[in-house]
């Protein structure tokens, strides 16, 4: 049950802005567009804020053309701003001018590590995706979940559950997905648009990254590296390439997979685990966040420094 204050603030607001976390994924964008379409049904003036442009893989989503980096600030006369799928203020993908705000800030999320930064907060850590929360929210607002909304929310749930395979997936996840499919969406086409729609050069990049694989910590930790040089060689921009990490998890002996990526302003680390390591705890230690089996952080350390540091930490936890 959604917090009643949140429902009444949304009902009373005329001008509503929505935003989400940096490097937006299928959940951030799917839940945002689903909510946007629902609020349009309620005749709200609703807009999306983002500092980043839409990842091209998600451009099939209805109304996704509204996500443009030029619109990254709160408009005049905004009554409330809803932040989706974002655990802390630092990761918000908009200039919210928090200190002098005249609007109500609503934080709707499912991350364990959520700072409760909103005036109103709804954090359901049992939800596999924020799309699940938005599904319930729209129902409580008596909004008709039409085919376009269903497409957005299904995308949110599909991507944040790794196609319904992460342990966060529940009976409720499947029930909601079933109801969304009943709206007539082509779920097989959504799957293809998201997972079978990679440019050739990006698949070649996977090859380069896989080639860097090293096993550490008694073969229980798989490390991979992605450098700016690899992107340059393939004429790729610094786009979202985190999905290559899944190739580390398919190694039989690996519990934890670490992808270390060189970026413009430091080093980005993504972590996945299968059984033992709580990667959220490790990421939080370095100022990041996420979930038990999938998390990440950024650091000023060099790729080599963070590699050695992580091997040291993981050795102490994996080798007993
Ligand atoms: Mn999410």
């Amino acid at each position: 049950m959604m917090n009643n204050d949140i429902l009444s603030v949304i009902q009373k607001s005329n001008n509503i802005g929505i935003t989400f976390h940096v490097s937006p994924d299928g959940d951030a964008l799917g839940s945002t567009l689903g909510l946007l379409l629902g609020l349009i049904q309620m005749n709200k003036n609703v807009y999306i804020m983002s500092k980043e442009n839409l990842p091209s893989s998600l451009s099939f989503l209805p109304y996704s053309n509204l996500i443009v980096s030029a619109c990254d600030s709160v408009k005049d006369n905004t009554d409330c701003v809803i932040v989706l799928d974002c655990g802390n203020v630092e990761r918000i993908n908009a200039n919210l001018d928090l200190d002098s705000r005249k609007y109500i800030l609503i934080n709707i999320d499912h991350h364990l590590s959520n700072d409760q930064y909103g005036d109103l907060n709804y954090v359901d850590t049992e939800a596999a995706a924020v799309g699940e929360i938005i599904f319930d929210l729209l129902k409580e607002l008596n909004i008709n979940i039409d085919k376009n909304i269903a497409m957005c929310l299904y995308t949110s749930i599909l991507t944040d559950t790794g196609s319904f395979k992460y342990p966060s997936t529940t009976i409720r996840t499947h029930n909601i997905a079933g109801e969304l499919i009943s709206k007539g969406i082509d779920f097989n086409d959504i799957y293809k648009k998201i997972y079978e729609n990679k440019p050739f050069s990006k698949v070649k990049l996977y090859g380069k990254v896989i080639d860097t694989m090293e096993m550490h910590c008694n073969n229980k930790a798989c490390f991979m590296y992605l450098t700016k040089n690899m992107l340059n060689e393939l004429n790729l921009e610094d786009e979202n390439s985190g999905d290559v990490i899944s190739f580390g998890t398919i190694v039989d002996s690996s519990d934890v997979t670490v992808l270390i990526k060189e970026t413009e302003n430091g080093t980005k680390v993504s972590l996945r685990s299968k059984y033992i390591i709580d990667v959220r705890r490790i990421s939080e230690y370095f100022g990041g966040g996420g979930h038990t089996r999938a998390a990440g952080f950024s650091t000023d350390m060099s790729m080599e420094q963070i590699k050695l540091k992580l091997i040291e930490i993981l050795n102490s936890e994996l080798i007993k």
Side-chain angles (χ1 to χ4, degrees):
M1 192 67 189
M2 176 62 61
N3 176 328
N4 279 328
D5 293 340
I6 293 181
L7 295 175
S8 73
V9 166
I10 292 174
Q11 272 152 347
K12 284 179 202 147
S13 296
N14 290 316
N15 302 307
I16 302 175
I18 311 175
T19 188
F20 37 72
H21 63 76
V22 290
S23 308
D25 55 11
D27 187 26
L29 297 170
S31 57
T32 291
L33 290 166
L35 177 60
L36 173 104
L37 292 171
L39 296 177
I40 289 173
Q41 267 190 40
M42 294 176 78
N43 293 317
K44 305 292 185 189
N45 288 318
V46 50
Y47 62 96
I48 296 172
M49 288 171 274
S50 176
K51 293 182 193 172
E52 294 167 272
N53 285 317
L54 181 80
S56 57
S57 60
L58 292 162
S59 60
F60 73 93
L61 288 172
Y63 287 70
S64 59
N65 60 322
L66 294 179
I67 298 167
V68 284
S69 60
C71 182
D72 64 353
S73 302
V74 182
K75 294 183 182 175
D76 288 345
N77 301 316
T78 293
D79 302 301
C80 88
V81 167
I82 305 173
V83 184
L84 298 180
D85 201 26
C86 182
N88 56 60
V89 166
E90 293 70 33
R91 277 174 59 75
I92 296 176
N93 205 337
N95 303 311
L96 294 190
D97 197 11
L98 289 175
D99 295 331
S100 56
R101 68 174 182 268
K102 297 191 185 83
Y103 57 86
I104 296 172
L105 184 66
I106 299 178
N107 158 25
I108 297 178
D109 188 26
H110 66 138
H111 292 91
L112 271 171
S113 46
N114 186 294
D115 292 345
Q116 309 275 329
Y117 52 82
D119 300 309
L120 296 168
N121 302 283
Y122 185 83
V123 181
D124 177 3
T125 57
E126 302 284 305
V130 171
E132 286 186 17
I133 304 172
I134 299 303
F135 178 86
D136 288 342
L137 173 68
L138 295 182
K139 289 212 146 184
E140 288 179 52
L141 290 167
N142 289 318
I143 286 160
N144 167 42
I145 311 264
D146 61 19
K147 192 171 167 182
N148 275 343
I149 295 177
M151 250 178 104
C152 297
L153 298 184
Y154 186 87
T155 298
S156 140
I157 294 169
L158 179 76
T159 53
D160 246 27
T161 57
S163 309
F164 303 96
K165 69 176 178 283
Y166 296 157
S168 55
T169 308
T170 63
I171 295 168
R172 178 176 159 224
T173 311
H174 284 283
N175 283 338
I176 293 174
E179 199 170 328
L180 296 174
I181 288 171
S182 78
K183 306 295 177 186
I185 59 169
D186 187 342
F187 61 87
N188 180 250
D189 188 57
I190 294 175
Y191 182 89
K192 286 177 195 157
K193 289 217 163 79
I194 291 171
Y195 295 109
E196 298 177 349
N197 199 17
K198 307 263 187 265
F200 179 65
S201 57
K202 196 162 171 193
V203 182
K204 295 292 279 183
L205 177 70
Y206 291 169
K208 285 182 190 287
V209 177
I210 291 169
D211 209 35
T212 68
M213 259 187 201
E214 298 165 350
M215 299 305 291
H216 295 284
C217 313
N218 271 353
N219 297 322
K220 288 176 185 161
C222 177
F223 277 66
M224 291 188 280
Y225 309 91
L226 201 173
T227 63
K228 283 192 276 190
N229 200 26
M230 292 177 189
L231 293 168
N232 290 340
E233 281 170 8
L234 291 162
N235 281 321
L236 282 167
E237 297 292 314
D238 182 22
E239 59 191 291
N240 194 348
S241 40
D243 45 359
V244 69
I245 198 169
S246 61
F247 288 95
T249 65
I250 65 179
V251 176
D252 54 4
S253 65
S254 83
D255 179 70
V256 60
T257 299
V258 181
L259 173 66
I260 302 179
K261 186 176 163 186
E262 183 184 17
T263 67
E264 283 311 317
N265 31 25
T267 307
K268 208 174 145 187
V269 178
S270 301
L271 297 144
R272 299 287 183 276
S273 82
K274 278 149 75 176
Y275 299 105
I276 306 165
I277 299 291
D278 177 354
V279 291
R280 178 178 67 94
R281 198 171 36 76
I282 294 175
S283 294
E284 282 179 357
Y285 174 79
F286 291 100
H291 306 281
T292 311
R293 302 274 165 242
F297 64 91
S298 297
T299 173
D300 295 334
M301 283 189 229
S302 70
M303 296 177 81
E304 186 65 19
Q305 283 171 323
I306 191 64
K307 167 192 167 178
L308 295 175
K309 185 76 191 157
L310 284 168
I311 290 174
E312 185 188 315
I313 293 171
L314 292 170
N315 258 329
S316 70
E317 302 202 23
L318 285 170
I319 302 174
K320 289 191 175 120

